[in-house]
Amino acid sequence: MRRWGVGFCAATILLLVYVRLQVGLISSGYRLESLKECEAQLLDQRRVLHYNVLILRSPVILSKRLGERKIQMKPPRAVDIVPGMGEFDRTRAPLPVRFPQTVAPTLLRQASSTVTRWLEGARKAQAEPAP
Amino acid sequence: MLTAAQKNRVVFVIMGLLMITALLWGHLFYLQVLHPRHWISVAHRQQFQVVELLPIRGAILDRQQKPLALSIRMSSIFADPRHVKDPAGVAQRLSSVLKVPTPAIEAKLLQKSRGFVWLARRIPNQAAASIRSMKLPGIYFLMEPKRVYPHGYLASHVIGFAGMDAKGLEGMEMVYDSILKGEPGWRWLMRDARRRTFSAWETPMVPARDGLELVLTLDTTIQFIAEEALDRAFRKSGSKGGSIVVMDPSTGEILALANRPTIDPNQYADFPVEARRNRVVTDTFEPGSVFKTVTAAVALGTGRVSPTERFYCEEGAYRVAGGHILHDVHPHGWLTFKEVVAQSSNIGVAKIAARLGPAAIYQGVKAFGFGEPTGAGLPGEVGGTTKPPSQWSKLSIMAIPMGQEVTVTALQLVQGMSAVANGGLLVRPWIVKEIRHPSGVSVKRFEPTVVRRVISPEVAKELANILVAVVEEGTGKLAQVPGFRTAGKTGTAQKVEPSGVYSHSKFVASFVGFVPVESPRLCIVVTLDEPRPVYPLYFGGVVAAPVFREVAADTLAYLQERLPQDRRLRVASRSGEKLF
C-alpha cells in the first residue's frame, strides 16, 4: 500500500514538473515573439533614421536648403586653405588645460536624472521618414 | 436488505450509467483513434498560423558605397469589418488621424461580408502609434516595405524606381529586380484563444533571404555636379531636353549620367511618362559636326591625308553633286587638315571625305561602334542608324562625314570619343560595378571590357592634338578647362522636320571632349535638344561647351588624386589590330 502511495506521489510530481516545463516553454514562446516584434520595430526605426541621415547629407537637399536661405557658397581658393586647420589632427596630444568642473550634489543629480527619465518616457519619439 | 424491485432499479441505473459511459468512451474512441485527422486539422487551423517573412529589398549604392536607393518599412492599416462593432465611431476616430473623410472610412467598415479592407497604406509612424494606442477592435496593422531614394532626382534615370509592391519598374531597379528583391521565407506561429501569437518551437522555419545589393559605377558627387550644370544650361537655353554623360575613358565606367527633364523616383507617378525615359540611350539624333572626329580618325588612320595637308574651303560656298550648295558657317580659304577640324569646315570635310571613299568611311563609322547598342546594360538602349554604302545617295559621301544621314545616341558619342582619349581602344561603357551580399561579401564583380582596337596609339595622339586645337583655337573655346589641356569637338546639328527637310530653327547642340589630354580622366558629352533658336545661342560651342567646362573643372577639383595603380586595361582582343 505504501509503495502504491509513493509511486502515485512520484508520478504526480513528475507530471507536475512536465506541466511546469510546458508552461515555461509556452511563456518563453510569448516572450520570444514579443522580443522579435521589438527587434523588428527597432530595425525599422534604425532604417528610417539611416534614411533621414542620408537625406540630411544629400547634396541635393543641402543645396536646396542653402538656396532657400540664400547662402551662397563657393569652393575655396588655394590661398584660402590653411593646412592643418579645420581638421581633427589625431597626432596631436590632448591639451593640458583643465577646465573647472562643478559637480552637483549626488541627490540633486539623481533627482535630475529621474525627472529627465519621466519626461522622456512621456514624450516617446517616433522615427519618421523625412519628406 | 433490498427488495427485488429495488435491486432491479439499482441494476437498471448501473446499466444506464454503464451504457452512457460506454457511449462516451466509444465516441471518444471514434474521435481520437478512428478519425483523428479531421479534428487535428481543425485544431491546427485554429492554433497555428503561417507567417510569411518578407525579405528586405537590396540597396543600390554608388561607387563610394553611398546608398542611392534603400528600403524601409512603414505601417499599413487594415480592418476586419466583421469585428468592428461601431463603424461610425471608429471611422470618426480614424479620420482625424489619417486625414481621410469619415464617410469614406465608414463605407469600408460597413462591408460586413468582407474580412479584409485596406484603410491606409504606409502611413507615418506617429499616426500608426496614435491609432495603436486607441486599441480599436477590428483594426490591425501590417508592416509594408517602401522603396525610398534619399537623393531625390539624382541619377533617377539610371536607378529607375520600384512600384507600390516593391517591384522594379524602370532603370536598374527593373533590370536587376530578381537580384534585388530577395526571397521570402516563412515560419509557423501558435495562436492562443486571445489571438496572441507565440513561437511554435517544434515547427520548421525558413528564414527570408534579403535581396543582394547593387554597387554602381556612379559617383554621387560627380553626378550632382553634372546634374546641376545641366539643369542650369537646360533652363537658361530654354531647351526641350538635355543629356550629359561623364565617363572614365580608360575603363568605360560611367561616373555620372543625367537627363532633363527628370523625375523624382520618390513620387514617380507625379511626373509625365516622357520624363522617365533615359534619353542618353533611348533618343537618337543626327550628331552634326561632332561626327567629324570619326572622319578625321579615318583620314589619319588610312594615311590618305596628312595633318599638314591643305584644303581649299571655297570661301564658304561649294557647289556639289545635284546642284546643291554646301555652306560653311564662316567662310574660309585655305585650311590645313587640322584647321578644317578646328574650325569645323563642312566644305573641308566634304573634300576629305571624297578622297576617303564610302567604304573607308563606313568601315570607320562601324569600328567606332555606331549603328549598334553599346551594351552598357541600361534598359531601352537603341543602336542608332547607319547606312551601308550600297544605300548611299550622291550626297551621302558629304553628309555622313558631317554627321548627317546617320543617327547616334549620346552614349555612343562618349564611347567613340573615349577611344580617341585612351589611345585607340573602344571600351564598353558599364554602369554596374559589383553585386554583393548585404553583409559586404562580393557575389560578382564586373571588369572593364575592351571591344576592339579602333585606331593606333599614334593616330589617337595626333587626333587628340587636333581636338585640342578645336578648344584652343576653334569653335570650342568655351570648353577650355583652366589649368588643363582640353580636347573636344562641338556640334550644332539641324533636326529634320516632319516634312523631311532640315530645320533652320531646331537644332541639337552638343559638345564631346576629354581632359586632361596627357592622361585623360574624364570623357564628357553634353547635348541640348532644341535650345532657343536665337543666334548664336543654339551653337554647341556656345551652349554645350560651357557645361563641359564647368563639369570637368569641378570634377577634376573633386578628384584631385593620382591615377590608381590598377588602371591598366585588360585587353580582351588582340592589340595592334586595326580595322582600316
Side-chain angles (χ1 to χ4, degrees):
Chain A
M1 197 62 185
R2 185 184 275 183
R3 266 189 233 149
W4 279 105
V6 167
F8 181 75
C9 288
T12 305
I13 290 167
L14 281 173
L15 200 63
L16 285 172
V17 167
Y18 173 74
V19 167
R20 180 69 189 88
L21 285 173
Q22 289 297 316
V23 168
L25 205 60
I26 290 173
S27 66
S28 299
Y30 280 119
R31 177 91 179 117
L32 188 66
E33 206 50 40
S34 166
L35 287 172
K36 276 186 177 160
E37 273 181 32
C38 193
E39 183 197 25
Q41 275 175 19
L42 288 170
L43 283 174
D44 288 339
Q45 283 181 17
R46 184 181 174 277
R47 284 191 201 100
V48 168
L49 289 169
H50 183 218
Y51 169 56
N52 289 344
V53 168
L54 289 172
I55 286 180
L56 288 171
R57 288 180 176 170
S58 167
V60 172
I61 308 299
L62 200 57
S63 78
K64 186 180 168 192
R65 286 183 176 174
L66 288 173
E68 282 168 1
R69 292 176 192 175
K70 295 187 174 40
I71 297 175
Q72 303 287 340
M73 293 185 73
K74 290 180 186 175
R77 299 170 299 172
V79 297
D80 297 327
I81 300 171
V82 180
M85 292 290 287
E87 292 176 7
F88 180 71
D89 190 348
R90 290 184 176 86
T91 59
R92 269 189 174 177
L95 291 172
V97 177
R98 284 189 181 230
F99 295 98
Q101 292 178 0
T102 53
V103 179
T106 309
L107 199 61
L108 193 60
R109 260 186 289 138
Q110 279 176 354
S112 165
S113 68
T114 306
V115 167
T116 310
R117 244 193 345 267
W118 286 344
L119 288 173
E120 280 176 0
R123 193 186 60 233
K124 199 166 185 182
Q126 289 290 337
E128 207 73 74
Chain B
M1 280 294 285
L2 294 170
T3 63
Q6 285 171 334
K7 277 185 190 170
N8 286 339
R9 273 189 228 123
V10 168
V11 167
F12 181 75
V13 168
I14 291 171
M15 290 301 292
L17 286 172
L18 282 173
M19 271 181 61
I20 290 167
T21 308
L23 272 172
L24 286 172
W25 277 104
H27 192 58
L28 198 62
F29 182 81
Y30 173 80
L31 292 175
Q32 288 278 117
V33 179
L34 295 181
H35 295 285
R37 289 181 196 275
H38 170 67
W39 299 107
I40 289 173
S41 70
V42 168
H44 210 262
R45 270 202 309 273
Q46 278 180 347
Q47 295 164 16
F48 285 89
Q49 180 185 2
V50 175
V51 174
E52 191 183 30
L53 304 172
L54 292 175
I56 304 292
R57 191 174 174 86
I60 298 178
L61 313 171
D62 80 342
R63 63 189 300 118
Q64 314 285 354
Q65 323 297 323
K66 291 179 192 168
L68 297 170
L70 59 157
S71 294
I72 58 174
R73 296 204 314 167
M74 296 183 77
S75 300
S76 295
I77 175 170
F78 68 96
D80 184 348
R82 298 170 302 185
H83 297 156
V84 176
K85 292 182 178 55
D86 177 22
V90 168
Q92 196 169 8
R93 294 184 75 181
L94 291 176
S95 166
S96 59
V97 179
L98 297 175
K99 306 282 188 288
V100 174
T102 308
I105 300 176
E106 195 177 344
K108 290 182 183 179
L109 297 177
L110 288 171
Q111 298 176 42
K112 294 292 182 187
S113 58
R114 296 178 65 178
F116 181 99
V117 287
W118 281 118
L119 295 179
R121 298 185 76 172
R122 300 184 178 94
I123 59 176
N125 292 337
Q126 196 70 39
S130 173
I131 295 172
R132 273 201 179 91
S133 63
M134 294 178 191
K135 291 188 172 42
L136 299 169
I139 304 298
Y140 306 103
F141 292 86
L142 199 64
M143 295 303 289
E144 286 196 295
K146 184 181 178 187
R147 196 67 164 165
V148 289
Y149 305 90
H151 300 289
Y153 61 80
L154 217 63
S156 58
H157 292 101
V158 173
I159 303 167
F161 51 84
M164 190 64 122
D165 297 324
K167 183 175 162 58
L169 299 177
E170 291 274 358
M172 294 294 106
E173 292 271 25
M174 182 183 73
V175 174
Y176 289 92
D177 186 59
S178 58
I179 288 172
L180 291 168
K181 69 180 180 184
E183 273 177 29
W186 53 269
R187 67 182 179 117
W188 289 99
L189 286 177
M190 286 194 75
R191 197 165 44 187
D192 63 14
R194 291 186 186 175
R195 300 175 70 89
R196 294 178 302 180
T197 52
F198 57 96
S199 295
W201 296 99
E202 65 280 7
T203 53
M205 171 194 161
V206 175
R209 184 180 66 74
D210 290 342
L212 298 176
E213 293 181 338
L214 215 60
V215 180
L216 302 182
T217 58
L218 299 179
D219 186 305
T220 305
T221 304
I222 301 174
Q223 181 74 29
F224 176 70
I225 291 168
E227 296 241 20
E228 289 292 290
L230 179 67
D231 196 59
R232 275 191 290 275
F234 172 70
R235 290 176 195 282
K236 194 174 168 188
S237 63
S239 300
K240 208 171 76 167
S243 301
I244 185 168
V245 180
V246 180
M247 196 167 101
D248 184 329
S250 298
T251 63
E253 290 171 284
I254 297 174
L255 302 172
L257 188 155
N259 295 284
R260 286 297 180 273
T262 186
I263 65 164
D264 182 350
N266 291 304
Q267 290 110 28
Y268 63 88
D270 296 345
F271 293 83
V273 174
E274 58 263 21
R276 296 185 199 170
R277 71 175 194 272
N278 188 354
R279 291 161 188 259
V280 165
V281 296
T282 61
D283 285 15
T284 58
F285 56 95
E286 292 191 354
S289 297
V290 293
F291 212 66
K292 290 172 183 164
T293 311
V294 177
T295 311
V298 174
L300 291 172
T302 54
R304 293 181 197 175
V305 174
S306 78
T308 52
E309 190 173 343
R310 297 176 65 183
F311 297 86
Y312 183 58
C313 295
E314 309 289 338
E315 306 299 338
Y318 181 43
R319 189 174 287 277
V320 296
H324 295 275
I325 298 178
L326 185 60
H327 291 279
D328 277 344
V329 175
H330 301 290
H332 300 288
W334 286 96
L335 295 176
T336 62
F337 172 77
K338 188 174 176 179
E339 287 167 338
V340 165
V341 177
Q343 301 300 329
S344 201
S345 166
N346 295 330
I347 297 168
V349 169
K351 292 190 173 183
I352 292 167
R355 189 185 296 188
L356 296 175
I361 292 170
Y362 180 71
Q363 200 176 7
V365 167
K366 295 298 281 183
F368 269 92
F370 297 106
E372 58 189 34
T374 62
L378 292 163
E381 186 178 14
V382 296
T385 55
T386 56
K387 289 192 297 188
S390 57
Q391 295 175 16
W392 286 19
S393 65
K394 283 181 186 169
L395 293 175
S396 297
I397 187 65
M398 288 172 304
I400 289 174
M402 285 189 330
Q404 292 181 338
E405 294 188 18
V406 59
T407 59
V408 302
T409 63
L411 192 62
Q412 286 174 325
L413 282 179
V414 76
Q415 182 192 32
M417 185 59 83
S418 292
V420 178
N422 66 29
L425 294 170
L426 192 74
V427 289
R428 175 165 295 139
W430 49 301
I431 193 76
V432 177
K433 202 172 170 66
E434 190 184 356
I435 297 172
R436 65 177 205 181
H437 190 267
S439 62
V441 173
S442 181
V443 173
K444 185 173 182 179
R445 276 209 179 97
F446 296 89
E447 299 288 337
T449 306
V450 173
V451 179
R452 54 179 165 264
R453 176 165 284 286
V454 181
I455 48 179
S456 68
E458 296 76 27
V459 169
K461 192 175 175 185
E462 185 65 52
L463 188 53
N465 286 331
I466 293 172
L467 295 176
V468 168
V470 171
V471 173
E472 290 181 352
E473 301 156 20
T475 55
K477 289 196 181 76
L478 292 180
Q480 176 65 58
V481 180
F484 297 94
R485 273 187 90 217
T486 311
K489 186 71 188 77
T490 58
T492 309
Q494 291 170 284
K495 291 182 75 169
V496 179
E497 296 278 11
S499 56
V501 299
Y502 281 106
S503 171
H504 293 284
S505 61
K506 293 179 185 171
F507 303 90
V508 175
S510 56
F511 184 89
V512 57
F514 55 92
V515 63
V517 170
E518 297 77 13
S519 178
R521 290 298 311 274
L522 307 170
C523 189
I524 303 171
V525 63
V526 181
T527 65
L528 288 159
D529 184 19
E530 293 188 30
R532 215 176 285 116
V534 176
Y535 181 88
L537 300 178
Y538 53 83
F539 283 102
V542 173
V543 72
V547 180
F548 170 92
R549 181 190 63 210
E550 186 182 342
V551 172
D554 288 349
T555 304
L556 288 171
Y558 162 69
L559 291 173
Q560 273 185 345
E561 58 194 19
R562 295 188 315 159
L563 291 173
Q565 294 302 315
D566 58 344
R567 276 285 302 276
R568 291 166 190 260
L569 286 170
R570 285 182 201 158
V571 180
S573 59
R574 285 173 295 167
S575 61
E577 182 184 349
K578 288 189 290 183
L579 296 186
F580 55 88

